[in-house]
Amino acid sequence: METIENTIIQNLVTNEEYTRKVLPFLKPDYFDKTHEKIIFDECAKFIVAYDKCPTKEILTIECEKRKDINDDTYKEIVTYLNDIEPTPTSEDWLIDTTEKWCKERAIYLALVESISIADGHDIKKGVDAIPAILSDALSVGFDNHVGHDYLEDYSERFDFYHRKEDRIQFDLDFFNKITKGGLPNKTLNIALAGTGVGKSLFMCHVASSVLLEGKNVLYITLEMAEEKIAERIDANLLNIPVQQLTDIPRQMFETKVTKLSEKTQGNLIIKEYPTAAAHSGHFKGLLNELALKKSFKPDIIFVDYLNICASSRYRAGSNVNSYSYIKAIAEELRGLAVETNVPIVSATQTTRSGFSSSDVDLTDTSESFGLPATADLMFALISTEELEEVNQIMVKQLKNRYNDPTMNKRFVIGIDRAKMKLYDVEQSAQSDIIDSGQEIEYNNEEETKKIKSKFAGLKF
């Protein structure tokens, strides 16, 4: 009886054009029968090694060398190979049918694995991993795009250079400079800072500024209550110190919020989850719920903050090191950014040594160096007593996929902690920063001494 599995293996041996198109998407697990798995495995090995389809004779010899099969299986393989003959078939139909079969097999195997996890038979994965497993299976398909041909695809490349990319702009001049105009979609952007330096303040300020641009903002908090985040955003947007919000009369508060709603077409949703209890799967569910119940689709997502999220891949409390766990969370959030086509902004803590350092580096990232490996943009927020005295905070670029990180490597911005605001400072404040990447010349040693004394404690 002819089956799709038989047809696939026959064409892997006899049809080189078909093989080159489908082999990258086939997996041994898709085949049910042992002899089919072994033949496919040997086909794949030979094609990778010799860049051509194997003959029946070659497969017979290679299978005979294997130590993991018994005589009965080997006889089955030989009989199977002897029956293989080239059969004229519509190639388009064959590729479409193979793709459909791969999708069905991937979904079936994902369901089997999910049931095993739900029944407690898989000790390495928890039920939280099920949505990701099913999502991966549903996304199986043949993507025939094999890369950009430099000499032939020059027209597409030229159009790309001149295409205006949608970006979420900052209201802070230097952040727009280092990102070439704002945050692109499908990216993960991380602020690194010690406790109390201003991670949440930074995210609340950017969320407020994006809302005023008329964009939809989703702010997910796992650290503070929804009302506390809203309080900070109120202080920023209403231009009232946090401590004085409780003193305003209701009518005045309503008037200010009403005027604010008239200034923007956007909306801001704040959603609280318990610490370490939510992961990208929960966030996807929230996005679907918001779309159905409120017709709300965010233009940017804030997650406050990454280290206290859960992972959809690893069971809570499982025996996994912090490097793998935090890297998994970062990869899942970046995957969510790609899937939803928005930028995600989050934050992470510095290590104990980084907390007391006035020159934070990538190695000061808490718990996992896998996080900066995944992020598109990563920068440190640095505060010293000298900077606090002049209401400033220093920003240091740590990683930047949008621009040259050595340009404007360090810069300062103003900070108003009472009103939860950040603002641009005068250019003269930037000119005092050594190793900023800005084109500044220092005329004499006396001037350099003055600059060093102002930023005492920073490493030069």
Side-chain angles (χ1 to χ4, degrees), residues 275-289:
T275 300
H279 53 65
S280 59
H282 296 99
F283 304 155
K284 286 180 195 174
L286 172 63
L287 290 168
N288 291 334
E289 200 172 349

Side-chain angles (χ1 to χ4, degrees), residues 49-120:
Y50 301 101
D51 196 30
K52 61 172 70 173
C53 293
T55 63
K56 295 189 289 184
E57 293 74 19
I58 288 171
L59 289 173
T60 303
I61 293 168
E62 292 299 322
C63 289
E64 189 179 11
K65 293 177 184 177
R66 294 179 68 122
K67 306 295 183 184
D68 58 342
I69 57 175
N70 55 36
D71 289 342
D72 291 338
T73 304
Y74 178 69
K75 287 177 184 176
E76 208 169 4
I77 290 169
V78 172
T79 303
Y80 188 95
L81 290 172
N82 286 336
D83 291 339
I84 288 179
E85 295 295 339
T87 306
T89 309
S90 166
E91 190 157 312
D92 290 339
W93 172 88
L94 184 57
I95 290 171
D96 289 344
T97 305
T98 305
E99 181 176 16
K100 183 182 176 185
W101 176 77
C102 287
K103 287 181 177 180
E104 290 173 351
R105 291 298 298 162
I107 292 169
Y108 171 77
L109 292 171
L111 289 171
V112 170
E113 185 179 4
S114 299
I115 292 169
S116 175
I117 291 170
D119 289 343

Side-chain angles (χ1 to χ4, degrees), residues 39-297:
I39 293 170
F40 170 75
D41 187 40
E42 292 300 334
C43 272
K45 286 179 184 175
F46 185 88
I47 292 165
V48 169
Y50 301 101
D51 196 30
K52 61 172 70 173
C53 293
T55 63
K56 295 189 289 184
E57 293 74 19
I58 288 171
L59 289 173
T60 303
I61 293 168
E62 292 299 322
C63 289
E64 189 179 11
K65 293 177 184 177
R66 294 179 68 122
K67 306 295 183 184
D68 58 342
I69 57 175
N70 55 36
D71 289 342
D72 291 338
T73 304
Y74 178 69
K75 287 177 184 176
E76 208 169 4
I77 290 169
V78 172
T79 303
Y80 188 95
L81 290 172
N82 286 336
D83 291 339
I84 288 179
E85 295 295 339
T87 306
T89 309
S90 166
E91 190 157 312
D92 290 339
W93 172 88
L94 184 57
I95 290 171
D96 289 344
T97 305
T98 305
E99 181 176 16
K100 183 182 176 185
W101 176 77
C102 287
K103 287 181 177 180
E104 290 173 351
R105 291 298 298 162
I107 292 169
Y108 171 77
L109 292 171
L111 289 171
V112 170
E113 185 179 4
S114 299
I115 292 169
S116 175
I117 291 170
D119 289 343
H121 299 313
D122 191 330
I123 59 172
K124 292 183 179 178
K125 295 177 182 176
V127 291
D128 290 345
I130 292 176
I133 292 169
L134 293 175
S135 177
D136 289 344
L138 290 168
S139 66
V140 167
F142 288 8
D143 181 4
N144 292 321
H145 176 70
V146 292
H148 177 83
D149 190 312
Y150 179 78
L151 295 177
E152 290 187 9
D153 297 339
Y154 62 86
S155 179
E156 289 88 341
R157 189 162 68 251
F158 183 85
D159 292 341
F160 171 78
Y161 293 155
H162 295 84
R163 187 183 307 138
K164 186 171 175 59
E165 189 176 16
D166 289 334
R167 289 175 181 260
I168 301 294
Q169 290 189 339
F170 293 90
D171 64 342
L172 299 165
D173 186 44
F174 270 87
F175 271 100
N176 283 327
K177 283 182 181 178
I178 68 172
T179 57
K180 286 190 174 178
L183 299 177
N185 294 332
K186 303 182 182 181
T187 58
L188 177 64
N189 309 275
I190 303 292
L192 170 67
T195 304
V197 171
K199 297 188 300 296
S200 295
L201 186 152
F202 173 84
M203 286 192 282
C204 286
H205 173 84
V206 178
S208 302
S209 68
V210 172
L211 176 63
L212 287 179
E213 288 178 24
K215 306 288 188 183
N216 285 335
V217 181
L218 174 60
Y219 196 111
I220 296 170
T221 172
L222 297 97
E223 187 175 36
M224 287 186 281
E226 293 170 359
E227 295 78 11
K228 281 293 181 184
I229 296 296
E231 181 183 45
R232 290 172 169 229
I233 291 172
D234 272 335
N236 183 296
L237 292 175
L238 305 183
N239 201 33
I240 299 170
V242 173
Q243 295 83 356
Q244 296 178 22
L245 283 172
T246 53
D247 300 331
I248 340 176
R250 176 182 287 271
Q251 189 173 355
M252 184 187 293
F253 185 74
E254 287 177 357
T255 303
K256 284 181 175 290
V257 175
T258 303
K259 284 183 179 178
L260 179 63
S261 65
E262 292 170 356
K263 291 180 183 177
T264 179
Q265 298 299 311
N267 202 357
L268 169 64
I269 302 291
I270 305 167
K271 174 63 178 175
E272 176 189 1
Y273 287 99
T275 300
H279 53 65
S280 59
H282 296 99
F283 304 155
K284 286 180 195 174
L286 172 63
L287 290 168
N288 291 334
E289 200 172 349
L290 287 171
L292 288 170
K293 294 181 178 178
K294 286 182 161 286
S295 299
F296 175 90
K297 182 183 182 301

Side-chain angles (χ1 to χ4, degrees), residues 178-179 183 188-190 375-379 397 399-400 402:
I178 68 172
T179 57
L183 299 177
L188 177 64
N189 309 275
I190 303 292
D376 296 283
L377 172 69
M378 193 162 178
F379 55 90
Q397 291 190 65
K399 179 183 179 182
N400 191 341
Y402 317 134

